[in-house]
Amino acid sequence: MKIDWFTVIAQIINFVVLMWLLKKFLYRPILSAIDERESNIKKQLLAAESQKKEADQAKDEFNHKNEIFNKEKDVLMQKAADEAKAEADRLKASARDEANKLKNSLEKAFAEDQAIKNDNMTKRLKGEVLDIARKTLKDLSSVSLEDQTVAVFLKRLNGLKADEKTKFSEALRGGKAILVQSAFALSGEQRALVKKAISSLLKPDSIFEFKIQPELINGIEILTNGYKLSWSVAEYLGSFAEDVEVATK
């Protein structure tokens, strides 16, 4: 078989030209595209890795912040609970103090009211007893209660012991007016009896001053230079008044 070298050479040349054309216009763009795609894939993978790291870092940071928040939340909750308890204790103590103050005020007001009632009752009872004593004395004798009071006082004055009589005489010689106070107005005769009894203990030219003092409760007292000599129904009503006060509590 005869080889057509011209044809062979032409085909070789055509093949070489085809390969050059393919390489220039087909393979190189494809390879470039493949390289570019690989480069893009590598970039995407690197970006994804970076995003993953950032995500992990953000997750760790979030977990850390969440842990800190939980700790701070627990501290704040405990602090709020402590403050609420302290405020509740303060309000309870304040309410207790106010209740005690109110209780004390009520007890004081009640005690004052009872004291006023007892005092009024004591005064009323004393007055009633005094009226009864006056009526009884009038029924039993012809002497009034005032006359009997003066008589008892003069009896006490004349019955002073020696040392008391000395003290009284010294006080009467002080030069000041002798104050005679009585729960009722003394008649002229009663004043004369008192002056006569006192004058027996000092000089007769002494100055007397007579005053009415209802608080003595049907009594008489002599005041001069700090010395006092007295007698009144109150001395006998004292124990009775105490019994009344105990009974009315």
Side-chain angles (χ1 to χ4, degrees):
M1 182 179 178
K2 186 179 180 180
I3 299 173
D4 187 354
W5 293 103
F6 177 80
T7 302
V8 172
I9 293 171
Q11 289 180 351
I12 291 172
I13 292 172
N14 288 334
F15 180 75
V16 171
V17 171
L18 179 61
M19 292 301 294
W20 180 82
L21 291 172
L22 290 173
K23 182 178 181 182
K24 183 174 179 60
F25 296 104
L26 182 60
Y27 295 152
R28 184 170 293 176
I30 291 174
L31 292 175
S32 296
I34 291 173
D35 291 340
E36 184 178 358
R37 183 175 180 80
E38 289 180 352
S39 177
N40 290 334
I41 291 173
K42 288 181 180 179
K43 289 180 180 179
Q44 290 177 359
L45 290 175
L46 291 174
E49 184 69 21
S50 176
Q51 291 177 355
K52 183 176 180 299
K53 289 181 180 180
E54 291 177 357
D56 292 339
Q57 183 178 359
K59 180 182 177 181
D60 293 339
E61 184 176 355
F62 173 78
N63 291 333
H64 179 67
K65 289 182 178 180
N66 192 45
E67 184 178 356
I68 294 175
F69 172 77
N70 289 332
K71 290 181 179 179
E72 292 179 350
K73 180 188 70 175
D74 293 338
V75 172
L76 291 175
M77 289 293 291
Q78 185 62 40
K79 182 179 179 181
D82 293 340
E83 290 178 352
K85 184 177 181 301
E87 181 65 14
D89 293 340
R90 187 187 68 79
L91 291 176
K92 287 180 181 179
S94 178
R96 192 181 301 110
D97 292 340
E98 291 297 327
N100 290 333
K101 288 180 180 178
L102 179 59
K103 178 184 176 183
N104 294 334
S105 297
L106 291 175
E107 289 179 350
K108 183 179 180 181
F110 179 77
E112 291 177 351
D113 183 63
Q114 285 298 111
I116 293 173
K117 289 181 179 179
N118 292 342
D119 185 61
N120 292 336
M121 182 177 291
T122 301
K123 289 180 180 178
R124 183 171 60 83
L125 289 175
K126 286 180 179 179
E128 291 178 357
V129 170
L130 188 60
D131 291 339
I132 293 173
R134 183 181 288 106
K135 291 178 181 178
T136 302
L137 187 59
K138 286 183 178 180
D139 290 340
L140 294 177
S141 66
S142 60
V143 184
S144 68
L145 182 58
E146 286 78 8
D147 290 338
Q148 188 67 19
T149 299
V150 174
V152 173
F153 177 72
L154 294 176
K155 182 178 180 181
R156 169 172 290 190
L157 180 61
N158 294 325
L160 288 175
K161 294 181 180 180
D163 57 340
E164 284 294 323
K165 189 174 292 188
T166 300
K167 291 179 181 179
F168 188 39
S169 299
E170 291 176 354
L172 293 174
R173 291 188 178 92
K176 294 184 178 179
I178 300 172
L179 176 61
V180 180
Q181 297 186 136
S182 57
F184 50 88
L186 296 176
S187 65
E189 183 181 355
Q190 291 170 338
R191 292 189 180 189
L193 291 173
V194 172
K195 288 181 179 181
K196 181 179 179 181
I198 296 175
S199 297
S200 65
L201 301 175
L202 67 163
K203 56 186 179 180
D205 58 346
S206 298
I207 301 174
F208 290 87
E209 182 180 356
F210 292 90
K211 286 187 177 181
I212 298 176
Q213 190 66 264
E215 289 78 5
L216 291 175
I217 307 180
N218 215 80
I220 302 176
E221 68 178 11
I222 298 175
L223 299 171
T224 180
N225 292 323
Y227 187 90
K228 181 174 75 171
L229 177 66
S230 64
W231 181 90
S232 69
V233 176
E235 296 179 10
Y236 298 98
L237 294 179
S239 59
F240 176 73
E242 292 178 1
D243 294 338
V244 171
E245 291 177 0
V246 172
T248 53
K249 286 183 179 179

